Structures are given as structure tokens and as C-alpha cells.
Amino acid sequence: MKSLAVLHASQLVTLAGPKRARVGSELSELAIIHDGGMLIRDGAIVATGASAEIEKQARGAEILDAAGRLVLPGFVDAHTHLVFAGKRLDDFERRARGETYEQIASAGGGIWSTVEKTRAATEDDLFAQSKTHAGWFLQGGTTTVEAKSGYGLTLEDELKILRVIRRLTLETPLECVPTFLGAHAVPREHKAPEYLDLVVNEMLPRIVAEKLAEFCDVFYERGYFDLEQSRKVLNAAGQRGLKLRAHVDQLTNSGGAKLAAELRTTTADHLEKTDTEGVKALKSAGVQPVLLPGSVYALGSTAYPRAREMIEAGLALVIATDFNPGSSPTPSMSMVLSLACTQMKMSPAEAITASTINAAYSLNRGDKIGSLEAGKTANFAIFDCEDYRELAYWFGLSQTHAVYAGGQCVFQA
Ligand code: NIG
Ligand code: FE
């Protein structure tokens, strides 16, 4: 049995608390232990407490001195498009000159240009590029991500992406939770109805049979999939036993929050344009909002979603990167914490809860990750700062000192 004792953390931010996603004032309760310690055995947390207490139980354990440093559960990033080929530098430059996301997409950039590059890549090529992305997440202290397909848009290419996601979990220290996003855009070679038939009748059955996805997602937006089409995909996926997430109300308020509520999706993501009625609908259906301020920032918009209203309504808020080559090229959860505080008026504590324990529950893993509590997997990050608020306060600076997944060091600055 291999034991590890983390001792003398200036703050051991445990997030210990009720065994469910946190709402309202609970989002501010981080259950911090000052001069904190944590005992780990065989990759799992055995105990947390005052360093002096942990030290007594740590005989024979390897000692990790975290004096002067902050220890946090590994971040859980509940919305990423981690697997894609290439970059979108031309889109980036055009946006800098004032063109919008929609204008760029109709001029041949956007999701479609990444689809072309992703289709052209071999599985090994795509794995190599995605492995680089996985390393970026680990460096920032993220140990679990949700990862969507959606840049293939043919049966074979969607399978290729989902197999790469599976390989990332098996061959890198980053745990990836797979989501099928076949309905991300209508590919050039099809009209929407016939493409949807392909998604529902060919892709979904195959993906479910090969157990390549836990969730199904759709991009419900003007120019992508409409209300009926989105309902059709999500219903079909639900009937096949997948849990649901949905991109809604990002660029237009199209009642997406209400659709998510009607279909009882696990999460409704984006919500930049969601109004009070939409917030109420999410609350009554118990849907978790996943807010993605990185995409608002990178698109040069100021229309951040109404985080405060959602917290006050009692929603179990999640924040995530939306890592993708178009609208949010950042794997950095500390950047997202900064945006949550400065642009959405969340407190640093609320932002940390939303990117750890609440995100873990949204991925159906709240019993295993997202907090530092006995029995959970020893996924944690050590930062070169003393106070958790510094993670959101300094920006554009990496403060990661070391990252552990399953009790093993997977990144060292
Ligand atoms: O979440 N909204 C749709 N999908 C992504 C953008 C994907 C892309 O531009 O490549 C998003 O913002
Ligand atoms: Fe997204």
C-alpha cells in the first residue's frame, strides 16, 4: 500500500459538505482547513484535517510539504470540445477586425473549417493533437473534463473523435467524460432533415452499442438546429439511455432554457441570452446551468449570462471553459474564475464551488471527485499562493505548483 501525506497547506480547500450539488449560500462554503493535511492511500483520500492530526496517522507515508501553498480539488471542466484538429487563426484575426461569429461562419470559417481539418486527420494524428490539449488542462490544475465530439459530422469521423476521447482517458492522466455532439452543425453535404436522420438512426445506435458516450448534446441556435430538430435528437438519445446536455440561448434567446427544462437535461449550457422565465424553468426542472464566460470574452461580447440571478434563484451553477478552437481557445480554469468574478459578479468562493463539486455532480461523478473528502479519488492541485482568492485575482499568470491524479503526480512546475 502506497501512502502519501500532504502537510501544512496554508489552506486546504476541501469543499466538504452535503452529498449533492451546492445551491444559494452553500456555493460560498468551501470548508477550508488552515495548516491543513490530507492522507492518501492507494490513490484515494483516507483523511483530511489539521496537519498535526494527519501527521500522527502518516507513519511510513511519503511526505509532501505544502507549506505556504494552496491545495484544491482538481478542477472539473464540465464543457469542452477538447478533440479537434488545427486552429482558427483567420477567424480570430477577422473578429479582431470587427466581424461577428455568425459572419465568419457564413464566409467559410467557423465550425465547418474545423470539421474539414478534423476529417482530414488520422486517428493517431488527432490523438497526438488532443494529447497536447490534455496536457494544457493538467497544467492548469484540471483533472477531469467533459469532452464533446462534433467536428466530424459523419458516422466514421464522429466515431474517430469519440475513440480519441476514450484513448485520452486510458493513455493520459486526464479523465475525459465523453459526450456525443453529432448535432453540432449541419455538414455541407446534407440538408438538416436528412443529416438528423443520420444522427438519430445511424450514429446514435452505433455510439451507444460501442459505449462511446455518456451524454448527448445539441447546438440549438439560429442557423444550426431548430427547436423541433433539437428536441428530436435529445429525445432519441434519452430513449437510448444517454443523459443530456444542450447548447442553448448562446447567440439568441430562443427559449432554449425552456426546452432543456422540458426534456429534463442534466445541464443547459451557455445561457447568455436566457431571461427570467428561462431561469425559472431551469429551477423547476432541476437543470444545472453551465456558464461559459471564456466564450463571451473571446467573441468580444459583453453579454455575460446572469449568474447572480441564477444563484439567487437556487440553481446549482457550474462554470466551465468551453475550450474549442473558435469561440473559446482557453483550457485555463483560472482564467474562467477571473471572468466569473470580474464579469459575472460571482465571489471567488462561488466560482471555485462551480468549477469543482458542482461540475462533478453535473458529470454524474459527485460521489468520486470534486472535493477532498475521505473515500474520494485523490485528484488535487497545489498552487503557489496562500489564499484561494488569489486564483481569481491574479490573471494571465500560472500559479500551478503541482497536480496529482489518483494520488500520482501528473504535473510539476
Ligand atoms: O460552444 N456553440 C457551439 N459550439 C462551440 C463553438 C464551436 C466552434 O466555434 O468551433 C461553443 O461555443
Ligand atoms: Fe460549447
Side-chain angles (χ1 to χ4, degrees), residues 79 81 247 270 322:
H79 183 135
H81 304 251
H247 283 72
H270 277 290
D322 195 15

PDB file of all heavy atoms in Angstrom, residues 79 81 247 270 322, ligand 2:
ATOM      1  N   HIS A  79     -17.497  21.362 -19.619  1.00  0.00           N
ATOM      2  CA  HIS A  79     -17.902  21.660 -21.018  1.00  0.00           C
ATOM      3  C   HIS A  79     -16.654  21.980 -21.834  1.00  0.00           C
ATOM      4  O   HIS A  79     -16.099  23.076 -21.735  1.00  0.00           O
ATOM      5  CB  HIS A  79     -18.878  22.844 -21.026  1.00  0.00           C
ATOM      6  CG  HIS A  79     -19.417  23.208 -22.388  1.00  0.00           C
ATOM      7  ND1 HIS A  79     -20.750  23.483 -22.602  1.00  0.00           N
ATOM      8  CD2 HIS A  79     -18.816  23.375 -23.597  1.00  0.00           C
ATOM      9  CE1 HIS A  79     -20.939  23.796 -23.881  1.00  0.00           C
ATOM     10  NE2 HIS A  79     -19.780  23.742 -24.503  1.00  0.00           N
ATOM     11  N   HIS A  81     -14.681  21.132 -25.891  1.00  0.00           N
ATOM     12  CA  HIS A  81     -14.633  20.480 -27.200  1.00  0.00           C
ATOM     13  C   HIS A  81     -13.150  20.146 -27.396  1.00  0.00           C
ATOM     14  O   HIS A  81     -12.455  20.764 -28.199  1.00  0.00           O
ATOM     15  CB  HIS A  81     -15.108  21.434 -28.292  1.00  0.00           C
ATOM     16  CG  HIS A  81     -16.493  22.004 -28.081  1.00  0.00           C
ATOM     17  ND1 HIS A  81     -17.564  21.632 -28.845  1.00  0.00           N
ATOM     18  CD2 HIS A  81     -16.971  22.908 -27.175  1.00  0.00           C
ATOM     19  CE1 HIS A  81     -18.649  22.305 -28.438  1.00  0.00           C
ATOM     20  NE2 HIS A  81     -18.312  23.086 -27.427  1.00  0.00           N
ATOM     21  N   HIS A 247     -26.489  22.992 -25.758  1.00  0.00           N
ATOM     22  CA  HIS A 247     -26.027  24.366 -26.000  1.00  0.00           C
ATOM     23  C   HIS A 247     -27.276  25.200 -26.300  1.00  0.00           C
ATOM     24  O   HIS A 247     -27.897  25.005 -27.352  1.00  0.00           O
ATOM     25  CB  HIS A 247     -25.147  24.430 -27.241  1.00  0.00           C
ATOM     26  CG  HIS A 247     -23.742  23.938 -27.076  1.00  0.00           C
ATOM     27  ND1 HIS A 247     -23.413  22.627 -26.928  1.00  0.00           N
ATOM     28  CD2 HIS A 247     -22.572  24.632 -27.071  1.00  0.00           C
ATOM     29  CE1 HIS A 247     -22.086  22.511 -26.850  1.00  0.00           C
ATOM     30  NE2 HIS A 247     -21.546  23.716 -26.925  1.00  0.00           N
ATOM     31  N   HIS A 270     -24.269  27.559 -21.759  1.00  0.00           N
ATOM     32  CA  HIS A 270     -24.196  28.917 -22.352  1.00  0.00           C
ATOM     33  C   HIS A 270     -25.155  29.864 -21.638  1.00  0.00           C
ATOM     34  O   HIS A 270     -24.759  30.583 -20.745  1.00  0.00           O
ATOM     35  CB  HIS A 270     -24.434  28.941 -23.874  1.00  0.00           C
ATOM     36  CG  HIS A 270     -23.204  28.616 -24.646  1.00  0.00           C
ATOM     37  ND1 HIS A 270     -22.128  29.459 -24.709  1.00  0.00           N
ATOM     38  CD2 HIS A 270     -22.875  27.525 -25.370  1.00  0.00           C
ATOM     39  CE1 HIS A 270     -21.185  28.900 -25.456  1.00  0.00           C
ATOM     40  NE2 HIS A 270     -21.617  27.726 -25.860  1.00  0.00           N
ATOM     41  N   ASP A 322     -15.462  25.790 -21.994  1.00  0.00           N
ATOM     42  CA  ASP A 322     -15.925  25.699 -23.398  1.00  0.00           C
ATOM     43  C   ASP A 322     -14.721  25.612 -24.340  1.00  0.00           C
ATOM     44  O   ASP A 322     -14.806  26.023 -25.504  1.00  0.00           O
ATOM     45  CB  ASP A 322     -16.811  26.898 -23.773  1.00  0.00           C
ATOM     46  CG  ASP A 322     -17.594  26.676 -25.072  1.00  0.00           C
ATOM     47  OD1 ASP A 322     -17.677  25.527 -25.534  1.00  0.00           O
ATOM     48  OD2 ASP A 322     -18.110  27.672 -25.619  1.00  0.00           O
TER      49      ASP A 322
HETATM   50 FE    FE B   2     -19.522  24.500 -26.475  1.00  0.00          FE
END
